[in-house]
Amino acid sequence: MPEFTIGVDIGTTGTKTVLVDVGQARIVAQASSDSRLYADAPGQAEADPAQWLDNVHTGVRAVLAESRVAPERVGALATTGMVPAVVPVDRNGTPVRRAMLQNDARATTQIDQLKNALDVDALAATGSAITQQSVAPTAMWLRDHEPETWARTAHLVGSYDWVLMALGARPHVELNWAIESGLATIEAGLFGPMFAAAGLAADLVPQVLSPGMQAGELGSEAAAATGLPTGLPLIVGGADHVLSAYAAGVNSPGDWLVKLGGAGDILAASDDPVVDARLYLDAHPVPGRWLPNGCMATSGSLIRWFQTLSGGVDLMALDAEAETRAPAEVLCLPYFLGEKSPLHDPDLRGAFVGLDLAHTRADMYRSVLEAIAFGFKHHTEVFSSIGVGLRRAMVTNGGSRSVLWKQILADVLDTPLTPIIGHPGASLGAAVVAAVGIDMLDDWDSTEGFRTLGDPVTPDPRHVDRYAEAYAEWRTLGDILTPVSHRIARKARS
């Protein structure tokens, strides 16, 4: 009788693997491997699928070795990852080029073409407007700029879909990749007008499968590479932000999550499919429930960029410096990769404003943390404006280890934030979905036992009013600098 499942998260900067004891509701081993991000030209964001697969092989072997769990005691494996990364594959499922990630911003012309053709119809059908996150513009860019690659492309699939296929699953895309790509409707049917407007063949997207469905079995070659038994069930997981929220307990209307990863995600549970051009809409793993959400192009990635510019100083040291500085003396616009929601503008650019010679890197670093918090506040205003209730707030992922950043977030959002202690994120969600998929768990709402809550971080009344004032200034600054950013972006492209 199997007792364990494995969840694998294909992230922007690394791959994480967890081995979960389902009966005991605990993680018994986990492993991580870095992934290289390719940004060789303006707007480019790519990754090598072969490196993802190597990381999976290494990660599975590592958790089996660390735990000393016999491979035959593992019941299933599921994958999760960034959405919607685009992996063009040939008829054998082999990638024909590097993957284009969800923050790749090269298809601006194609986005405008499709917006002019059917933006309102696309929003109503798929739940998301046509943005740099849409897959059809990326496909058009590939066809226009890499015709030889395009000629070899049989399907477009997601990052975690491709990994599951490389392990032995049949060609497929997961439901939320399909919805967020703009190629499928919220009822999970293909959105024909998008294919027609973009000039794409209907079979470009393979079968759409929902979380918890079995997509195949582990092949003999993959079994040899991972140490797992041939024939192990391969279960469809889901989008990383969706499964991270699911594992964190965002499962009832009013629950919401701030996810501090490389990008910045904010998700709220809803019983209704809430459609708004400023947001994205995902299906919750719990059938009949929905996750309206937003994703900012930068969050932890901006912090790492600033850390590199500062000579690689330890982030805890930067936190200690920044904690001594006054709030919001410098304003930062965090649009260093353009912006996704709620602005959907790949031609925005980053900025620091308000500097004088008395300021130090500590002021600039603090302004980066504050800028990301302001971006989350922008999203909460959008949620409120469309009637999405926000009652119980949680915070997860690597950035949640920063005491200062959590406090700034609580102050800016003016709400208590409950950290999820030791939360491995989407990889745990994938492992739970794997257990549901093979009936080791019979209840989709069974994630509560897998998480540990920390003490809530409450707003500091000394800073709440100052941040409310600074947020208004930040919004005004963004409006003023938008046309300047657009001119700079146009010049860079030319």
Side-chain angles (χ1 to χ4, degrees), residues 118-143:
L118 43 69
D119 195 23
V120 175
D121 292 339
L123 174 64
T126 69
S128 296
I130 299 170
T131 69
Q132 74 180 73
Q133 189 140 315
S134 305
V135 167
T138 300
M140 294 167 67
W141 187 94
L142 280 170
R143 185 182 61 203

Side-chain angles (χ1 to χ4, degrees), residues 84-87 89 135 155-162 164-165 170-179 181 183-184 188 190 204-211 213 215 236-238:
V86 178
V87 186
V89 299
V135 167
H155 297 302
L156 299 180
V157 299
S159 58
Y160 51 101
D161 303 319
W162 178 79
L164 213 61
M165 289 162 54
R170 61 186 180 275
H172 69 281
V173 292
E174 184 266 330
L175 173 62
N176 279 317
W177 184 96
I179 292 175
S181 74
L183 298 174
L190 294 184
L204 185 64
V205 175
Q207 182 181 19
V208 178
L209 299 179
S210 297
M213 296 179 69
V236 177

